[in-house]
Amino acid sequence: MLAVALGCNPVNPDNGGGNGNGNGEGQGEGQGGDTQPETGEKLAGITYQLNVYSFADSDGDGWGDIKGITQHLDYLDGLGATALWLSPIQTSASYHGYDVLDYSAINPKLGTEADFKDLIAKAKEKGIDIYMDYVLNHSGRGEWFNSAIASESSPYRSFYVLSGNPTADVAAGKVDNYGGAKTPGMGNWYTAAGGDLGYKGRLHFKLDWAKKTITVTETTAAAQQSNPSANKWLWIGSAGLVGLYQTGSDTHEITIDVDTDWGFLVRSSSTSWDNGTKWGGNGTSLTFGQPYSINSSTAADITFGGSSIWYFASFDKSMPDLNYGPYANASASPAFKALAESADKWINMGVNGLRLDAVIWIYQNQAAANASFLKQWYDRCNQTYKARGGKGDIYMVGEAWEETSKIASYYQGLPSLFNFSYWWTLKDRISKGKGDDFAKTVLWFRAQYKSHRADFIDAIKLSNHDEDRAGSDLGRDIAKEKLAGAVLLTSPGKPFIYQGEELGYWGTKSGGDEYIRTPIKWTRSGSVPTASLSGKVDNAMLSADISVEAQSASESSILNVYRAFAKARNGYKALAQGEMKEVQAGNAAIAAWTMSYDGQTVLVVHNFKPATVSASLGGYKLSYIIVSNGICSASGATVTMSPYSSVVYLQ
Ligand code: MG
């Protein structure tokens, strides 16, 4: 018996009467036939996204861990989860794990392989798959990278995007990582020597403005203060703007203490950063004591590495891009083979899916190149999965963080992609109190995807670990947050719930990404693990009342709204897998649609407005509520809905 109402008045007393304000199951069972859900079966592919380092700590070291997840499988089962997407669990230098050092080893702070095998087995007992986060665009600076830059004969030399002369190699089209583009969409070249781009110590700078050279020498001479009335400046490391002293008609000098990890630039203006006022190098490091040519067109950082080797990184110098060679033949590259072998290990261990990070940047925003690469990767992993005896095909979802029209073609490479536009649209419409074009917009997204792949799996979501929290986007208004969760769980596609969203968590990236990755507060009085986040948590959010314990006891909590709608989705095949059809309900505030599958149809109605409104739903049965939130009452063909309420009727 899955009929669940949270405050909505069932409209047909024959179906068990109203419970007004309860997590009631008094909706009656008499619907009969094959529309009855089978208790315990989970029909919907609801995935819970969790940060392993901050979800649940089993050993009290302040880090969430794999055992902590295993201990809370009942909670995840109660949210209807059929899969968990885990943040990267491999060894890494950062807390978040997106700079993997060894793709085949588990970060000891998170647990052991035995812990992971145990999680996979215990999750399987509850019908929950495990998806690993796989970072293919870049690695961390681990053994592979250190070996690659140390020697030309390293077996890992080809794993990275290396160049002795980036400017020339890019111009000659020799950088496969760019996927045929002449310039990268994002990222920088960094010197590789010892990993050190910068310098710490006392240096003398002599700028020859006539020759456009700068000569830097190490010195023990007395350091000078910046010249506030200079007309030539350095921009350098922690010091920022440093004014030079004019010592000749075209020479400017200074001796200063330097602490920089990226090098420096020359400026002919203290205020402008335009090309023409910003002067730098051409992609090579300077040599102490020798004049170094500067220019204002390339204006690359002037580094101290003294290296003849540069590497490219899309995101950060701690994350060198991996190099898979020409994209059409990527699967033959040594890096691809090594990554695939690491994935084999986890797939053979029982992992049923992968979430692929930053797929737009594998070949620098070149959609065709990326789709080609992703298809090769998917096919390779699916081969292993099938050989293992996995059910159906392996699940794989790509993070292509762009609007739908720009990423739809990635479906040529992968069965599933995150739908970022879905959340951007939903929060916009909730803020405007306008629901009547929501279904139309979702159907448009789906049409884009379908044009590239008939069996696409639309991975819908609210916010994730890289975005401001849904709670903050919705102004920390719990009524709006409940609505957003209800919409997510009644939309077509594969919904992802992000850790804490179901508790009404808020947080923005402005104080650091840690603030959108807050641990779950499990009990009213218990502490939360914050060591992995360096203590960067908003304690106002970790209050007793927001805890899982408190919200579980409160029938009107956001947690129980998520549970109720997840339960409904898992129990009704039309909600879980149905085809969406738009319904116009005669009111701009109302988002309404039907979902149909295998002879079953449900009618979904949401009020996006902070006011009570009426929906005209002639021709639909308004007698059996599967799930609801808020007050919804039907009279004839009209449903009156309280602010931000939701209701699903069985047809
Ligand atoms: Mg721990």
Side-chain angles (χ1 to χ4, degrees):
M1 189 163 71
L2 287 183
V4 178
L6 288 147
C8 250
N9 292 311
V11 292
N12 184 347
D14 294 336
N15 275 336
N19 58 6
N21 188 31
N23 192 352
E25 300 194 291
Q27 309 283 321
E29 293 178 307
Q31 299 301 305
D34 61 3
T35 57
Q36 274 305 297
E38 293 175 35
T39 303
E41 190 179 358
K42 291 193 271 191
L43 300 173
I46 299 171
T47 303
Y48 189 87
Q49 177 197 353
L50 63 84
N51 302 314
V52 181
Y53 52 83
S54 70
F55 179 69
D57 179 14
S58 71
D59 57 5
D61 69 350
W63 279 69
D65 44 50
I66 293 167
K67 272 188 183 167
I69 304 168
T70 309
Q71 289 172 353
H72 289 89
L73 283 172
D74 282 343
Y75 175 76
L76 297 161
D77 192 35
L79 273 169
T82 54
L84 309 179
W85 154 25
L86 312 186
S87 62
I89 59 171
Q90 295 124 322
T91 56
S92 72
S94 68
Y95 77 89
H96 52 67
Y98 286 95
D99 50 345
V100 177
L101 300 176
D102 181 347
Y103 285 84
S104 297
I106 290 179
N107 183 345
K109 287 199 176 86
L110 306 179
T112 64
E113 277 191 24
D115 295 343
F116 191 48
K117 286 176 185 167
D118 188 50
L119 169 63
I120 291 170
K122 299 249 168 65
K124 190 178 178 184
E125 288 170 12
K126 293 185 183 297
I128 298 175
D129 291 337
I130 301 298
Y131 300 159
M132 279 180 85
D133 203 318
Y134 238 75
V135 189
L136 295 173
N137 177 71
H138 53 265
S139 74
R141 291 173 46 141
E143 270 184 43
W144 286 357
F145 180 76
N146 291 333
S147 170
I149 61 170
S151 163
E152 285 187 32
S153 60
S154 164
Y156 306 106
R157 188 74 168 184
S158 72
F159 279 37
Y160 295 93
V161 186
L162 303 179
S163 171
N165 188 338
T167 308
D169 284 349
V170 170
K174 289 181 180 174
V175 182
D176 296 325
N177 184 248
Y178 289 9
K182 286 293 182 190
T183 53
M186 183 169 75
N188 278 305
W189 290 90
Y190 299 93
T191 54
D196 186 5
L197 315 173
Y199 189 86
K200 187 170 184 177
R202 189 161 297 171
L203 294 175
H204 178 77
F205 294 81
K206 183 175 184 180
L207 175 67
D208 186 326
W209 194 245
K211 293 180 180 169
K212 299 293 187 295
T213 62
I214 190 161
T215 305
V216 183
T217 48
E218 293 175 292
T219 181
T220 55
Q224 297 169 278
Q225 297 293 313
S226 171
N227 175 13
S229 51
N231 60 37
K232 297 289 180 292
W233 289 265
L234 303 177
W235 181 260
I236 185 163
S238 56
L241 195 65
V242 174
L244 299 173
Y245 294 90
Q246 188 152 6
T247 53
S249 61
D250 280 313
T251 55
H252 307 260
E253 301 179 61
I254 195 167
T255 296
I256 52 167
D257 288 325
V258 164
D259 183 0
T260 176
D261 61 0
W262 58 270
F264 71 100
L265 290 165
V266 175
R267 289 170 60 171
S268 56
S269 164
S270 63
T271 54
S272 168
W273 272 109
D274 297 339
N275 270 7
T277 61
K278 179 179 80 171
W279 292 69
N282 64 359
T284 57
S285 290
L286 60 75
T287 302
F288 286 129
Q290 292 183 16
Y292 179 88
S293 292
I294 60 172
N295 70 79
S296 64
S297 53
T298 313
D301 296 347
I302 305 168
T303 55
F304 297 92
S307 172
S308 58
I309 297 290
W310 292 70
Y311 69 93
F312 183 79
S314 292
F315 288 91
D316 184 87
K317 66 184 180 184
S318 66
M319 299 174 174
D321 273 29
L322 286 158
N323 173 37
Y324 301 105
Y327 65 83
N329 202 24
S331 60
S333 69
F336 186 103
K337 288 177 180 170
L339 269 289
E341 279 167 24
S342 72
D344 287 346
K345 168 176 172 169
W346 306 115
I347 294 167
N348 285 326
M349 201 177 278
V351 166
N352 285 335
L354 301 180
R355 177 265 183 187
L356 305 184
D357 185 58
V359 297
I360 285 178
W361 303 107
I362 295 172
Y363 284 95
Q364 288 297 310
N365 209 7
Q366 302 301 301
N370 286 321
S372 169
F373 170 88
L374 292 167
K375 182 167 191 332
Q376 293 172 62
W377 177 261
Y378 181 81
D379 289 347
R380 173 67 171 74
C381 292
N382 201 29
Q383 204 176 7
T384 304
Y385 179 78
K386 284 181 173 300
R388 186 197 86 192
K391 191 179 170 189
D393 293 310
I394 194 169
Y395 179 69
M396 208 175 286
V397 56
E399 180 214 17
W401 192 338
E402 256 292 5
E403 58 188 80
T404 292
S405 58
K406 292 187 179 163
I407 63 159
S409 67
Y410 281 71
Y411 270 109
Q412 291 169 13
L414 286 176
S416 192
L417 292 168
F418 286 115
N419 188 341
F420 286 85
S421 291
Y422 176 88
W423 172 230
W424 297 335
T425 300
L426 178 56
K427 67 182 176 184
D428 173 74
R429 298 305 190 273
I430 292 175
S431 77
K432 291 173 177 163
K434 179 178 166 57
D436 62 347
D437 71 342
F438 184 73
K440 189 193 301 288
T441 308
V442 169
L443 287 168
W444 183 84
F445 295 150
R446 295 176 66 79
Q448 304 300 301
Y449 299 148
K450 198 167 190 174
S451 70
H452 293 283
R453 191 186 198 99
D455 59 348
F456 71 99
I457 302 169
D458 186 10
I460 52 174
K461 53 175 267 308
L462 307 185
S463 65
N464 69 19
H465 67 294
D466 279 328
E467 300 169 284
D468 286 352
R469 283 271 193 186
S472 288
D473 282 346
L474 297 174
R476 292 172 55 177
D477 181 328
I478 287 290
K480 289 184 185 176
E481 292 172 52
K482 288 176 179 174
L483 170 66
V487 172
L488 177 73
L489 292 168
T490 53
S491 291
K494 183 176 169 74
F496 281 67
I497 299 171
Y498 174 48
Q499 172 178 323
E501 191 173 275
E502 76 280 16
L503 299 172
Y505 274 14
W506 61 86
T508 70
K509 292 160 68 77
S510 60
D513 288 349
E514 293 88 345
Y515 290 97
I516 55 173
R517 300 168 179 178
T518 303
I520 299 292
K521 185 168 174 67
W522 293 101
T523 58
R524 284 178 184 274
S525 56
S527 61
V528 297
T530 61
S532 65
L533 302 176
S534 305
K536 292 183 180 176
V537 292
D538 180 349
N539 283 312
M541 190 159 61
L542 297 172
S543 71
D545 289 345
I546 292 177
S547 67
V548 170
E549 182 183 3
Q551 294 207 35
S552 294
S554 166
E555 286 177 348
S556 62
S557 67
I558 183 170
L559 175 60
N560 277 327
V561 170
Y562 267 82
R563 284 173 172 165
F565 278 81
K567 191 173 179 183
R569 190 182 184 95
N570 271 321
Y572 287 85
K573 57 190 176 184
L575 263 186
Q577 302 162 56
E579 191 72 27
M580 182 192 220
K581 267 193 188 158
E582 185 190 10
V583 171
Q584 279 302 334
N587 191 309
I590 299 288
W593 59 87
T594 56
M595 300 272 277
S596 300
Y597 181 76
D598 192 24
Q600 185 183 76
T601 295
V602 297
L603 172 67
V604 176
V605 193
H606 300 282
N607 176 10
F608 279 31
K609 208 170 180 176
T612 298
V613 300
S614 292
S616 302
L617 296 163
Y620 294 97
K621 292 183 200 162
L622 307 174
S623 54
Y624 186 92
I625 294 177
I626 291 170
V627 64
S628 63
N629 172 53
I631 311 290
C632 327
S633 59
S635 174
T638 301
V639 177
T640 302
M641 301 184 69
S642 64
Y644 301 127
S645 60
S646 303
V647 61
V648 180
Y649 296 103
L650 183 65
Q651 297 304 290

